[in-house]
Amino acid sequence: MKSFESYYTMNHKQLTFLILSIFCLLTISGRVYSADEVIKSYKKTDIELLDLKLTPLEKAWLKKNHKIRVAVKNGWMPIEYKLENDKHRGVSIDYLSEIGSLLQMDFTVVDYTENINQDQADIISAVNGNKIKNPNFNVLNQPFLSFPFAIYINKNAYQNKKINSLDNLSGLRVAVFKSGILAQKISQNYPNIKLVLVDIADEAFDELKSETVDAYVGNELVVDYHIATHRLTFVEKVSTTAFLSTISMAVSNTKPELASIMQKGMLSIGENNKELLDNWKISGKDYDWIIRIVLAGILIILLFLLLRFYRLKQSIKKQNVETQQQIWHQANFDDLTNLPNRHLLQNRLEQEVIKAVRSELSIGVLFIDLDDFKKVNDQSGHSSGDKLLIEAGNRISLCVRASDTTARFGGDEFVVIIPDLKDMIFLEKTCQKILSEIERPFLIGESLFYISASIGVSIFSTDCHNLDDLLSHADQALYEAKKLGRNRVQFFTESIKTNSLKRLSITSDMRIALMEKQFALYYQPIISLENPKILKAEALIRWIHPIKGMINPLDFITIAEESGLINELGDWVFKQALKDLIVCRERLGSEFQLSVNISPNQFNHPELLLKWIETMKALDIPGHCISFEITEGLLLAPSNEVLGVISALRKTGIEFSIDDFGTGYSGLAYLKKFDIDYVKIDKSFIQNLESDNYDAVLCESIISMAKKLGMKVIAEGVETEHQRKLLNHFSCDYGQGYLFSRPEPLEIFLCHATHEQTYL
Ligand code: C2E
Ligand code: CA
Ligand code: CA
């Protein structure tokens, strides 16, 4: 914006500069030079000179007398006249100046008087005609000006009458100069013309204007000059006459050398020298025309600049408004979905709360999270994910009233504010509408995506009166909805709050527990059913709380997963397991294998998992001594990143087991694709083996199919001898459960394991 301002200032300055320069140019364009007391010579001349051919006598004379006095008349424009500063100008001065430069002569100006004599002046610069009354001076043969007399009329008075020669003036009143030869010549040749004698040109023009004379006949150069300088638009030159007016210089009759030098100078420059006369022949019409063009030009430039300036100002204004709008939009709307962002959501919520307090109506806040959205991103890339988010935002907006606010809270989370809420049924219906809208398949590119949403709801006035709580209560309710199995609505309740607070405190306690080493690993043996041997065990984490005592992993693993703490916790588990494995291998043989549970969330930080490869190498532990227990969910729609990590880990020899098999998708065939080594049948099936015939059949078929596909089977939660026998009968490879041993601290586990018979 600043640059616009400065651009504008620059133009403003430019404008002033331009106007000033135009006026300066106009002022200096007329050739103004002054004749000092000494007439200055032109420095250089473009006039083509004839060879002056001065005689030796003339040259000698010049050497002695290079200062010449010239008597110059006043008020005879443009022949010669005096300026206000007493300096002389005119055609005669220009001629003298030119001669001065040709012959290195200095002409000093003196004022002309009628009876001027040789003691006062050497030259009279301009004499009308070829005769002079003053006996002390002789007129030069070569005049410097020779112009015809021309006829001028008042064009307003003679529109119809044709006047283009002296003949047409017969019987008419004609103004002519009193002095000079013209009056005499006209009265001789055209006796019918009624002459009106005038002293100066101005007088003749006055007569013309008042129509007291019909025409004015005068020297064309002089009269044209008057018309031009006085802009006498009413005067029109109709024609020139055959009578000539010559103007010459006169030289003192005591100075014949000077006379011949001047004569030669005059000849050299020539009569009516075009270059010199051009300075004086400005036609009135031309002058007006130039001024008009210049003025029009200035006006056009001014208008153009004004227009530009105005446009610039408008565009700066427009840009300012646009930029401000853009900044405001960026600060308040989500780039991707164009929905209000967190910031605007907060503002709107504040306003609604103020209104709700006044109107005593409630506000519903819906916290919406897309279930399994990550899958879309992992499976089809971020651009598909982005498109789905945009579409989901649209669908949610269409489920609510225009006066409600649908905002993108971040990631795959949306928040809807429903103000002026009168009944809860409406709120419930809106939530259901959103759930079913999100359940509809999303067509992105050429693929269909099926997802669902979970919604947490809080209500201003019943749940809470505090603005900050509104969002966090909805968030807590959302958490509950997710926990209860997703694709559902959960309204906020006090017990949710209690749970949520509990979660918070557990998370912070876990951080402390990690630092204070309150975690321990317990080991549960995995027994080979056919040939009872302890060649495997599963590491299971325990939290030994200084006050609460032993805490079960089921009470904190999910919380650790949600808070992200699982990465640190998992890292600790793996490293501790490696340390313990070294001891186990010493005591139970180098083929001993430890199973470690890896949460799917840990695959979000593959770099941590890949680092373990180095750790194992450093401790000289071969890969096949480790088995990672993962869940089916991780493999349902694995991203390339997940597949990459699994394959890198497999390359080191690490084996993979599918934990809790049978509770999820339970597809054996597709597990084969991922080179899975073990399938762990979930304990819920094993526990029903005796009572439920269906589960027995299921177990048997899982075992036989897994084996056909080259995978080994581990039965979890084997508690009774009967279960063991059945499993044995089904040819299950391994068993794990209380029947053999509960998970125990390392030392106890090792103690039992070295005396195998304890389990059998
Ligand atoms: P899981 O991986 O399915 O582990 C087996 C669970 O079954 C263990 O519970 C074990 O004590 C229990 N169990 C073993 N035999 C029997 C039996 O005969 N009857 C019954 N009813 N239960 C039996 P635990 O140790 O409480 O672990 C619970 C879950 O916590 C584990 O289930 C596992 O998913 C998770 N977990 C434990 N340790 C870790 C760990 O280090 N990392 C991760 N990510 N998860 C862990
Ligand atoms: Ca496990
Ligand atoms: Ca399990």
Side-chain angles (χ1 to χ4, degrees), residues 248-348:
S248 318
M249 295 196 184
V251 179
S252 158
N253 49 24
T254 59
K255 295 188 168 107
E257 297 91 346
L258 179 61
S260 88
I261 290 167
M262 288 303 284
Q263 181 72 16
K264 284 179 180 171
M266 280 302 166
L267 266 170
S268 173
I269 300 168
E271 183 181 291
N272 294 356
N273 181 291
K274 191 175 173 306
E275 217 165 302
L276 293 185
L277 282 192
D278 274 351
N279 299 326
W280 301 99
K281 272 165 89 183
I282 307 156
S283 112
K285 274 180 189 163
D286 280 358
Y287 196 58
D288 270 359
W289 187 71
I290 291 167
I291 287 179
R292 265 183 220 147
I293 285 186
V294 170
L295 282 176
I298 293 174
L299 210 72
I300 289 169
I301 292 170
L302 273 176
L303 277 174
F304 173 74
L305 289 173
L306 217 71
L307 199 77
R308 274 204 66 169
F309 169 66
Y310 176 75
R311 283 214 189 125
L312 204 68
K313 247 189 128 172
Q314 290 298 103
S315 97
I316 290 170
K317 218 162 139 189
K318 206 172 133 204
Q319 292 250 6
N320 277 346
V321 172
E322 276 171 9
T323 317
Q324 269 164 8
Q325 275 173 350
Q326 230 173 356
I327 292 171
W328 182 83
H329 196 90
Q330 274 168 3
N332 288 284
F333 286 83
D334 174 53
D335 282 346
L336 179 70
T337 58
N338 213 21
L339 292 173
N341 62 12
R342 258 172 194 236
H343 180 251
L344 187 58
L345 172 81
Q346 188 72 25
N347 280 352
R348 295 245 173 111

Side-chain angles (χ1 to χ4, degrees), residues 586-732:
E586 276 167 14
R587 302 264 291 267
L588 304 171
S590 63
E591 289 314 296
F592 183 81
Q593 186 187 52
L594 262 190
S595 287
V596 179
N597 292 285
I598 310 289
S599 152
N601 300 52
Q602 286 176 262
F603 282 86
N604 292 340
H605 286 272
E607 73 284 355
L608 286 176
L609 306 191
L610 292 171
K611 256 195 202 160
W612 293 350
I613 299 174
E614 307 296 314
T615 320
M616 283 167 62
K617 271 189 195 152
L619 292 173
D620 205 17
I621 294 172
H624 71 266
C625 293
I626 306 276
S627 167
F628 281 162
E629 297 195 5
I630 56 170
T631 47
E632 266 183 298
L634 186 71
L635 299 177
L636 267 183
S639 64
N640 289 335
E641 206 168 34
V642 169
L643 291 176
V645 179
I646 292 177
S647 112
L649 293 170
R650 281 202 59 87
K651 268 187 199 148
T652 67
I654 293 176
E655 299 194 308
F656 277 80
S657 312
I658 297 299
D659 209 350
D660 304 336
F661 187 80
T663 55
Y665 176 77
S666 311
L668 274 172
Y670 89 91
L671 287 182
K672 184 66 199 138
K673 280 198 305 200
F674 304 105
D675 255 341
I676 296 300
D677 305 280
Y678 303 94
V679 174
K680 292 186 86 175
I681 303 176
D682 190 68
K683 53 183 169 286
S684 58
F685 294 96
I686 309 301
Q687 268 144 22
N688 291 336
L689 269 185
E690 296 144 292
S691 55
D692 193 326
N693 197 36
Y694 175 77
D695 273 9
V697 174
L698 205 77
C699 259
E700 193 183 2
S701 53
I702 290 173
I703 293 164
S704 81
M705 212 157 118
K707 293 183 79 151
K708 267 183 210 152
L709 290 168
M711 293 181 275
K712 295 199 176 77
V713 183
I714 302 169
E716 280 187 342
V718 184
E719 289 182 356
T720 65
E721 191 57 36
H722 189 214
Q723 287 164 355
R724 183 173 82 118
K725 282 196 172 133
L726 272 174
L727 289 164
N728 226 347
H729 177 68
F730 296 154
S731 303
C732 182

Side-chain angles (χ1 to χ4, degrees), residues 167-389:
D167 294 316
N168 303 134
L169 292 173
S170 183
L172 297 182
R173 294 159 54 83
V174 175
V176 287
F177 259 126
K178 195 186 272 170
S179 56
I181 48 153
L182 183 65
Q184 199 187 339
K185 281 190 173 163
I186 291 179
S187 56
Q188 276 168 9
N189 295 291
Y190 299 91
N192 291 333
I193 293 177
K194 295 172 188 161
L195 288 180
V196 176
L197 299 175
V198 291
D199 283 314
I200 51 169
D202 289 336
E203 198 184 330
F205 292 127
D206 278 348
E207 304 261 10
L208 259 187
K209 196 167 191 182
S210 61
E211 297 177 31
T212 45
V213 297
D214 302 300
Y216 168 39
V217 179
N219 179 315
E220 192 184 23
L221 175 75
V222 176
V223 179
D224 280 358
Y225 185 82
H226 269 267
I227 293 170
T229 49
H230 293 91
R231 301 222 194 98
L232 303 174
T233 46
F234 71 97
V235 183
E236 187 187 343
K237 177 164 72 180
V238 286
S239 75
T240 52
T241 67
F243 300 129
L244 270 185
S245 150
T246 57
I247 294 166
S248 318
M249 295 196 184
V251 179
S252 158
N253 49 24
T254 59
K255 295 188 168 107
E257 297 91 346
L258 179 61
S260 88
I261 290 167
M262 288 303 284
Q263 181 72 16
K264 284 179 180 171
M266 280 302 166
L267 266 170
S268 173
I269 300 168
E271 183 181 291
N272 294 356
N273 181 291
K274 191 175 173 306
E275 217 165 302
L276 293 185
L277 282 192
D278 274 351
N279 299 326
W280 301 99
K281 272 165 89 183
I282 307 156
S283 112
K285 274 180 189 163
D286 280 358
Y287 196 58
D288 270 359
W289 187 71
I290 291 167
I291 287 179
R292 265 183 220 147
I293 285 186
V294 170
L295 282 176
I298 293 174
L299 210 72
I300 289 169
I301 292 170
L302 273 176
L303 277 174
F304 173 74
L305 289 173
L306 217 71
L307 199 77
R308 274 204 66 169
F309 169 66
Y310 176 75
R311 283 214 189 125
L312 204 68
K313 247 189 128 172
Q314 290 298 103
S315 97
I316 290 170
K317 218 162 139 189
K318 206 172 133 204
Q319 292 250 6
N320 277 346
V321 172
E322 276 171 9
T323 317
Q324 269 164 8
Q325 275 173 350
Q326 230 173 356
I327 292 171
W328 182 83
H329 196 90
Q330 274 168 3
N332 288 284
F333 286 83
D334 174 53
D335 282 346
L336 179 70
T337 58
N338 213 21
L339 292 173
N341 62 12
R342 258 172 194 236
H343 180 251
L344 187 58
L345 172 81
Q346 188 72 25
N347 280 352
R348 295 245 173 111
L349 207 54
E350 276 166 25
Q351 285 164 19
E352 293 304 344
V353 165
I354 294 168
K355 275 200 261 170
V357 171
R358 249 187 263 138
S359 67
E360 293 183 353
L361 288 171
S362 305
I363 306 167
V365 174
L366 318 186
F367 215 118
I368 306 165
D369 185 283
L370 304 182
D371 305 324
D372 291 325
F373 170 71
K374 209 179 156 296
K375 248 176 19 192
V376 180
N377 257 351
D378 288 347
Q379 230 174 299
S380 307
H382 283 269
S383 88
S384 294
D386 284 354
K387 283 176 192 149
L388 192 140
L389 283 176

Side-chain angles (χ1 to χ4, degrees), residues 523-548:
Y523 292 92
Q524 188 177 36
I526 298 169
I527 315 286
S528 161
L529 290 176
E530 203 189 340
N531 169 27
K533 261 191 176 171
I534 301 167
L535 289 176
K536 297 179 193 299
E538 179 178 2
L540 294 159
I541 194 168
R542 296 290 178 266
W543 180 0
I544 298 144
H545 195 278
I547 300 160
K548 296 177 192 161

Side-chain angles (χ1 to χ4, degrees), residues 338-453:
N338 213 21
L339 292 173
N341 62 12
R342 258 172 194 236
H343 180 251
L344 187 58
L345 172 81
Q346 188 72 25
N347 280 352
R348 295 245 173 111
L349 207 54
E350 276 166 25
Q351 285 164 19
E352 293 304 344
V353 165
I354 294 168
K355 275 200 261 170
V357 171
R358 249 187 263 138
S359 67
E360 293 183 353
L361 288 171
S362 305
I363 306 167
V365 174
L366 318 186
F367 215 118
I368 306 165
D369 185 283
L370 304 182
D371 305 324
D372 291 325
F373 170 71
K374 209 179 156 296
K375 248 176 19 192
V376 180
N377 257 351
D378 288 347
Q379 230 174 299
S380 307
H382 283 269
S383 88
S384 294
D386 284 354
K387 283 176 192 149
L388 192 140
L389 283 176
I390 295 169
E391 174 64 12
N394 281 341
R395 289 191 192 178
I396 296 170
S397 308
L398 289 174
C399 292
V400 300
R401 303 168 300 186
S403 56
D404 301 335
T405 297
T406 304
R408 183 175 177 210
F409 197 73
D412 58 347
E413 293 172 328
F414 297 87
V415 170
V416 175
I417 309 172
I418 302 181
D420 305 328
L421 197 63
K422 287 177 196 131
D423 63 293
M424 291 308 125
I425 299 163
F426 172 74
L427 194 62
E428 175 78 43
K429 274 187 181 163
T430 307
C431 291
Q432 291 303 339
K433 210 156 100 189
I434 293 172
L435 287 187
S436 55
E437 271 302 306
I438 299 295
E439 259 190 306
R440 281 200 300 115
F442 286 80
L443 179 66
I444 311 285
E446 282 168 5
S447 321
L448 278 179
F449 292 92
Y450 293 86
I451 57 162
S452 56

